[in-house]
Every structure is written in C-alpha cells, then in structure tokens.
Amino acid sequence: MITLTLNNGVVMPALGYGVFQTPADETATAVAEALRVGYRHIDTAAAYFNEAGVGAALATSDVPREDVFIETKVWVSDYGYDQALHAFDKASAKLGVEQLDLLILHQPAPSRWDRTVAAYKALETLYADGKVRAIGVSNFMPDHLTRLLDATDVVPAVNQIEVHPYFQQKELLAMDAEHGILSQAWSPIGGITFYPGFTDGKQSTLNDPTIAAIAASHGRSPAQVMLRWHLQEGRSAIPKSVTPSRIAENFDVFDFSLDADEVAAIDALDTGVRSGPDPDVARESMFDRVIPEA
C-alpha cells in the first residue's frame, strides 16, 4: 500500500474506496468487501446519503478503527459556522465514530461565499479541538483557493477534484502543490465520462486506445493503468464500484509501474473538457438539499 503524508503530518492511504452514487442499502455490503480486500481509506459525503452504511460496515468489520482512514464532506446546506459544527455531529453519529480523519467542504459555492468561509472556520475549530485529524476542500478552483487562503488560517490538507486522463486540471494541480495541498482525484478512472446522465456522447476513458495499449503491455485493465498513473504522479485516488471483482481489481495496482513514456502518453490525453459540474455554476436547488439528522 502507498501512503501520502498530509501537510500537517497525518499519513493517509493514497488509494481510497469511494461510495458516490452507491445506494444506501448497498453501501454496508460494498464497504465491507472493500475492507476485506484491503482498502484502509473510505471516502463518503453527507450528500451521498450513505454515511450510515459506511458506519454499519465499520461497526461489523474486524479491522480496527485506528487502521481505517475515514473521510467525509459537509454539504452546502450545512454551510455557516454553527451549521458546519452540527454537520460534524451528524456525520460522526452516522459513521459511528468520535473522530474523523478528514473532513472537507464539498463545494466552494461562490454564490454563498460568506457561508463557505464560515463553514471552513468551523472546520478549523473542529481541527483545533481534535475532533478531526485534517481538514480540506473539494472542487475548489484556483480563485476559490486564493480567496479561502486569504480569509482563513489553516491551509487545506486536501483538495478533492475531478481528475482523470481526459481532464487533468494541471494549473490547479500546480497550485495545490505550491501550497502543500494534496490533490485527490474523484472520478479517477474517468467514470464521469461514462456514468448515465453525464456522458453526453463523450468517449469513455475505458475505451481509449492509448490507455488500452498500455494496459495490454502490462497485462492489466485500463482502470488499473489509470489508478497507477495517479499514484505515480503523487495524487490520492478514490475509485468506486459495488462489483466485488472490480473492487479487488482497483486495489491491485501496487505491484507494477508505468515507465516515463507511458506516463507522458497518458498526460498527453488531456482534453481540458470538464465532465462533472462546474464549481462556479450555482445549483441552488441542489445546494439547498437538506441533510437529515440520522
């Protein structure tokens, strides 16, 4: 297993298991399988409505709590100082833990920027109080980061962003690195290019001929090659699947390496086209989605 050290010294497994779009009634089974396979980093979010399923899997697992890195996200409807403090209470109760390893803001929500800053200041308080081991953000672009850094004291440990071979956000990756912020890839194998409702006729990264050729040369799958690419470039990656064989396949990426030419070939696939939501576009009805108490 490869680990990464955050800017506050906390060590995190580089490869995590994500539960985006995993149905609540399937989450406990899927996370239990991921833990059985060997994942020791689980990523969820209040807005996924499946934190309780993650908690159920943790409660029944033989893996000690201290060996699992738990990451979740505060949703926009819980932004604001007191609201974000309470969001921690809701999340920790659903997950069945007293301390979170990483708590991050899910969106920059520039249309509600004052509340975004207040929420991050609440995360700073939770961090100072030892209720979370690290804090960070998700989907923050360079201008959002600049504004946040100017208004707060603790540099985010992580920025979780859309990164895959077709959308690499190199300027943002460079800014994260400049400030000691770890870039964490959501949709690391380009799932957003083939998820129902997001495709819009886009080519799937899984069918890319360059990635397929590299995969064939290593006797690996395209997904494994893309995950290895992230790890070799120093990023965290959080693939998701509910299929046991793919959960295991996505974790089996530690015993091969891509050479410099192969990494460069994948780097050259960047289209600059975002497949997920634009963080600068307000989605007020979604931002107002209420996160239940339990």
Side-chain angles (χ1 to χ4, degrees), residues 40-242:
R40 293 296 181 263
H41 175 181
I42 308 297
D43 171 79
T44 183
Y48 298 168
F49 299 102
N50 58 17
E51 288 172 315
V54 174
L58 294 170
T60 58
S61 174
D62 293 333
V63 180
R65 163 66 188 97
E66 61 268 21
D67 291 345
V68 184
F69 190 97
I70 302 172
E71 172 180 3
T72 192
K73 310 174 192 70
V74 178
W75 185 243
V76 181
S77 56
D78 282 333
Y79 283 10
Y81 186 82
D82 291 337
Q83 297 93 324
L85 291 179
H86 185 58
F88 165 83
D89 293 334
K90 290 193 286 187
S92 59
K94 291 171 189 174
L95 290 162
V97 300
E98 295 183 356
Q99 183 188 55
L100 295 172
D101 297 291
L102 177 61
L103 183 61
I104 65 180
L105 300 185
H106 205 146
Q107 295 285 342
S111 62
R112 309 179 184 201
W113 186 250
D114 288 347
R115 289 170 60 185
T116 300
V117 172
Y120 191 81
K121 289 183 176 180
L123 266 57
E124 291 182 318
T125 296
L126 292 166
Y127 176 58
D129 290 345
K131 293 184 177 180
V132 298
R133 298 175 64 218
I135 61 176
V137 295
S138 181
N139 299 303
F140 274 53
M141 299 300 104
D143 59 321
H144 307 140
L145 283 175
T146 297
R147 294 173 69 192
L148 186 74
L149 292 170
D150 286 344
T152 57
D153 297 320
V154 179
V155 176
V158 168
N159 188 10
Q160 185 185 116
I161 55 178
E162 179 185 350
V163 182
H164 48 77
Y166 286 175
F167 188 61
Q168 297 179 29
Q169 305 214 71
K170 292 174 183 176
E171 177 189 356
L172 180 53
L173 294 178
M175 183 175 182
D176 283 349
E178 177 186 350
H179 290 281
I181 301 169
L182 176 69
S183 295
Q184 183 178 66
W186 65 257
S187 190
I189 61 174
I192 200 72
T193 67
F194 52 84
Y195 286 157
F198 287 96
T199 54
D200 295 329
K202 300 182 180 74
Q203 176 174 307
S204 165
T205 50
L206 293 178
N207 296 327
D208 184 88
T210 296
I211 296 171
I214 294 171
S217 71
H218 288 275
R220 298 285 177 155
S221 70
Q224 287 174 315
V225 165
M226 286 184 272
L227 291 171
R228 186 68 204 182
W229 169 71
H230 285 291
L231 296 178
Q232 287 188 209
E233 295 202 332
R235 288 185 292 277
S236 171
I238 45 172
K240 61 93 50 172
S241 177
V242 296

